[in-house]
Amino acid sequence: MRGAENKSLIFVGLLFSCLEMIFSANTGFSMSIYDVTSRSIYLRWPKFSGASSYRVTATAVNTVGHSLLAHFSDVTLKGTLTPLIPNTIYAIQAEAIDKNGIVLAETQIMQSTAPDIPVIDQAYSKLSNSITVEWRAVPGATSYLLTAQDGDSFVETIVANSPGTVTGLKPATLYRITIRSINSGGKSQPSPFRKAKTVLAAPILSVSSPSCDSIAVSWKAVYMAAGFSVSLMRSDGLGRMLKENTTNTSMIFTNLDPGTLYTIKAYAWNVNGIPGDDFTYNQRTIPCAPVNISIEEDEPGHLLVSWSSVNFGHYYVAFVKSDDGLEVHCNTSHTQCHFQSDCGFTYFISVFAYNKAGQSPLGDVFNYTTAPCCPSDFRAAVVSSDTVRVTWAPVRGAEMYQTRAVGWSGAVLCNDTAAACTLSDLQCNTRYNITVYSFSEARGSNTSCASKYVATAPCSPEIKNISKEALSVISVHWQSNNEEATYIVTARGEAGLWHCTSSGSSCTLINLPCGSAFSVSAVARSPAGQSLPSYSVPLETAPCCPNELILTQVTQSVTNISWSVGMGAQTYITTLESPRGQAKCHTLQNYCLLGCITCGTNYTVSLKAISETGLTSSCTYQGYSSSACCPSGVKLYRLGNNGIRVYWRASDETINYNTDLHGSKGNFTCSPSSGLSHCDITEIPCGDVYTVVVSPITDTGPKLTFCPKKIYSVTCSGSSVGMVIYRGKSNAEQHI
């Protein structure tokens, strides 16, 4: 036998060695196991390129002559090997085969089947939350999986051997019990099921001693219970046991010994009379409870509890329990006790008498409610000049709050169940004494609450006057009627915001932009808060002067003036002024023509920008010089055979002139020397009509185009210049 085992081990070792070699040679093909039972192994493998079928062989390692061969098509990538021998190690080889029957790749793995399926001998319940199962051992099994199923829910547990117990079950419930054997290879299929029902749950007892010689027992109904058994006997073993069967859920035992400890035991039974879990409780019965209990609060924070004496009472214990669950007690041989108390609590007071037999039953329970607590550290926030919002944390015992504000003009009250109150219709710039009181229906008001002083925000200022001190400088004056207040004046407009601050009754806004409209208001600030803003007062600054102004001489006596738009301006007045006179125009446009201009004259230039409301800005610009005067008496004379002399009367001997002749056969220009009033053109074609212009020469700028243009005909005498005939002025000049 030992030799056979050694041969099996050697064979397994050789197989593992072969597996290592095959895995090394065929790394592209492998298989895996995804489930194992007692007689089946479930395999899967990836698709191998070129394979048209797969062949799987399972050979038992320690059983001679047992092997299994299975073929699968190329579309099947998983398979089941069955039937196999339970608790047996198999060498499993998978081969990928092409359509010609050639093995393309192969791989091997070792896998043990699960042990054989166990058989349940019996399943029974002794406790309401468990079922015990007994079965015969299965060869090769290292553990067992017990399953208790109730409909869709189930409970599982793993045990080492029989018997095994499944816990965590529901009372009085029918379960299907199965068992599976386990080894390193996997789990067997479930065994044939056995049905078993858990016993009933124990009744949960509620026990009390309503009198010196009785004990009352009650419980809630138990699922599937047909009846209950309740027994009672002295815990010291003396006397006889009392036992009662009932279908009710309560029972009273009477004629008991006072001050004696009894043990009560109860269980439920089903329709078959099978008992369930039992429940045990100890309860003691005399002395009688004290009576005539009184409670009084002799001073805040102290409760005095007193009662009448009890026959056979050796000492007393008074319990005081607050409604937050905290309990204190006092032991005394007297008939009164002192206790500390807090505001806003309801105290429940009970008193027990004691002797050698034990504690008296619970007598009447009294309650006493102390005055509600005072709101501490309440916060007062100034909402506006006449409104203060007071908030505080809710306090114990308070059902309602009263907020009271007392000032020089009277008192303002606010009642609310919320922990906040808004006091309105207060006087601005006033100091109020504010107190928050708490109320409860049981105890009334707590009148010992502390107060604090709160000042309301300043009163709104009233702007009395706005005056212009200088360009872009505005003074604002208001009526000051607050104490320790700082005033902030704001000018608000499309151009932005401007501010000034003062603790007096006026301040100055500077650098206001021209041509802008503002709304001016003021607020007052103090440590108490900020007032509502004053009524707004409109403010308009004078219009802006145009940045650019251009003068263009149109004719000798007419000049065109244009300028950029001045912000805030609606109309403009422009003026050119010299010792010889002035020219002026008033317009809605940003340009105008000024006539009666004297040529060759220096003028001062000024402009007034006027707003829609009549505000005016006076603007000055660089001086303007009109062009030199055009010459008069322009005439043409024949000069030799092919020459022409142009003659004129100069308006000023210091002015130089330029002469232009324009004809169809050519254009000619001449400029005489300084001081001369004529110039000659020596070569000019005859038989043409010429337009003649004599213009002053300017130092800068373009050539003047508005001097008179005269038309002359120059005839031919043979090939030479003949007569020079005046034809009049040009049409363009006549239309000007």
Side-chain angles (χ1 to χ4, degrees), residues 198-379:
T198 51
V199 298
L200 303 183
I204 306 301
L205 301 183
S206 177
V207 184
S208 63
S209 178
S211 65
C212 305
D213 62 349
S214 65
I215 289 178
V217 184
S218 63
W219 57 91
K220 291 184 178 179
V222 175
Y223 176 65
M224 297 296 290
F228 302 91
S229 291
V230 184
S231 62
L232 176 144
M233 69 177 301
R234 286 176 61 125
S235 299
D236 56 11
L238 300 177
R240 63 186 181 87
M241 182 177 70
L242 303 176
K243 185 175 182 179
E244 298 286 345
N245 292 334
T246 182
T247 57
N248 297 323
T249 56
S250 64
M251 182 178 296
I252 297 179
F253 293 94
T254 59
N255 298 320
L256 305 180
D257 298 327
T260 302
L261 185 64
Y262 285 88
T263 299
I264 301 98
K265 189 174 185 179
Y267 62 86
W269 32 267
N270 61 16
V271 292
N272 298 321
I274 299 174
D277 293 348
D278 59 41
F279 187 93
T280 302
Y281 193 92
N282 292 327
Q283 175 67 42
R284 184 184 299 274
T285 55
I286 189 140
C288 296
V291 293
N292 299 325
I293 299 175
S294 66
I295 305 103
E296 57 182 299
E297 194 172 8
D298 49 359
E299 59 179 279
H302 295 276
L303 289 181
L304 174 63
V305 180
S306 58
W307 56 90
S308 60
S309 61
V310 175
N311 292 331
F312 307 109
H314 295 167
Y315 66 97
Y316 305 91
V317 179
F319 292 89
V320 175
K321 186 175 184 178
S322 58
D323 51 13
D324 65 351
L326 182 64
E327 184 177 69
V328 295
H329 68 277
C330 118
N331 290 349
T332 181
S333 58
H334 302 288
T335 58
Q336 64 178 20
C337 276
H338 291 272
F339 293 93
Q340 296 282 341
S341 63
D342 287 322
C343 58
F345 275 109
T346 296
Y347 292 94
F348 301 91
I349 297 98
S350 56
V351 182
F352 295 88
Y354 288 82
N355 58 17
K356 291 181 180 180
Q359 173 187 298
S360 70
L362 176 65
D364 293 333
V365 178
F366 295 86
N367 64 71
Y368 182 85
T369 302
T370 56
C373 298
C374 287
S376 61
D377 194 25
F378 62 84
R379 296 174 297 280

Side-chain angles (χ1 to χ4, degrees), residues 100 104 147 156 167 189 254 367 400 445 464 529 537 554 578 604:
N100 297 318
L104 301 177
T147 302
E156 292 183 334
T167 61
Q189 290 94 334
T254 59
N367 64 71
M400 190 179 73
S445 172
K464 292 297 186 180
V537 176
V554 180
S578 73
T604 58

Side-chain angles (χ1 to χ4, degrees), residues 12-35:
V12 172
L14 288 173
L15 282 176
F16 279 120
S17 176
C18 291
L19 283 175
E20 292 178 359
M21 295 172 60
I22 290 170
F23 282 136
S24 301
N26 301 289
T27 58
F29 184 56
S30 63
M31 64 178 166
S32 61
I33 294 173
Y34 63 90
D35 196 11

Side-chain angles (χ1 to χ4, degrees), residues 372-375 395 398 400-402 436-440 444-447 449:
C373 298
C374 287
V395 296
M400 190 179 73
Y401 303 92
Q402 182 183 83
V436 180
Y437 299 98
S438 55
F439 290 83
S440 73
S445 172
N446 189 337
T447 58
C449 300

